[in-house]
């Protein structure tokens, strides 16, 4: 199954309930590329008032899923690593997932996370496996 349009992609990934209920939205799609965002709310904050690290990771994992599965469904994550670079200063998180390597059964993606002010706040790398 290939999702050719942004609308088809959004409809398919609406079933990714954890991410979408957290507020994740698909902004753009391309060839092994996705840009997703979350508008930050009080529910995204931890006990000290900062954005919970899981919000970053949820958004990155969602962007990876969209980028890796839009052209052919069947990629799952084998491993992911997140590095937090700085605090968020804006009100919106934006994740851009790009393929670094597409192999026969595995792939490798880098997901850059920034706020709407342009601050690069985290980097995630994910190795995926294509179920055939």
């Amino acid at each position: 199954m290939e999702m050719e349009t942004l609308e088809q992609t959004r409809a398919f990934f609406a079933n990714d309930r954890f991410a979408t209920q957290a507020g994740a939205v698909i902004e753009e799609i391309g060839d092994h590329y996705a840009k997703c965002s979350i508008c930050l709310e009080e529910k995204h904050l931890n006990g000290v008032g900062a954005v919970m690290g899981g919000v970053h990771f949820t958004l990155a994992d969602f962007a990876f899923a969209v980028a890796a599965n839009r052209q052919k469904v069947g990629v799952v994550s084998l491993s992911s690593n997140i590095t937090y670079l700085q605090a968020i200063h804006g009100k919106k998180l934006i994740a851009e997932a790009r393929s670094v390597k597409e192999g026969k059964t595995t792939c490798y993606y880098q997901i850059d996370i920034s706020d709407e002010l342009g601050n690069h706040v985290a980097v995630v790398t994910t190795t995926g496996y294509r179920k055939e």
Side-chain angles (χ1 to χ4, degrees):
M1 171 182 188
E2 181 175 345
M3 293 160 263
E4 295 182 8
T5 68
L6 184 58
E7 292 75 27
Q8 289 173 323
T9 305
R10 285 178 174 159
F12 179 83
F13 284 98
N15 291 321
D16 195 336
R17 288 178 272 304
F18 186 84
T20 57
Q21 288 178 14
V25 174
I26 303 168
E27 302 282 347
E28 296 176 27
I29 55 171
D31 185 23
H32 301 286
Y33 168 84
K35 180 178 182 179
C36 301
S37 66
I38 289 180
C39 290
L40 299 171
E41 302 174 29
E42 294 232 0
K43 68 181 179 182
H44 298 114
L45 304 180
N46 61 20
V48 296
V51 176
M52 175 69 76
V55 177
H56 299 72
F57 190 83
T58 296
L59 182 60
D61 190 53
F62 185 63
F64 162 73
V66 173
N69 285 286
R70 187 185 72 81
Q71 291 166 289
K72 185 177 179 188
V73 175
V75 176
V76 295
S77 175
L78 285 176
S79 68
S80 292
N81 180 64
I82 188 165
T83 301
Y84 299 95
L85 303 173
Q86 67 173 309
I88 298 165
H89 298 289
K91 303 283 187 209
K92 183 178 186 178
L93 273 183
I94 302 158
E96 291 188 80
R98 289 179 177 84
S99 173
V100 175
K101 173 76 168 120
E102 291 292 326
K104 185 175 179 181
T105 57
T106 61
C107 58
Y108 186 78
Y109 279 72
Q110 179 171 316
I111 304 97
D112 292 297
I113 304 172
S114 60
D115 62 23
E116 82 280 11
L117 303 173
N119 299 302
H120 197 190
V121 299
V123 177
V124 176
T125 55
T126 300
T127 301
Y129 174 74
R130 184 169 311 282
K131 301 186 308 180
E132 300 269 344

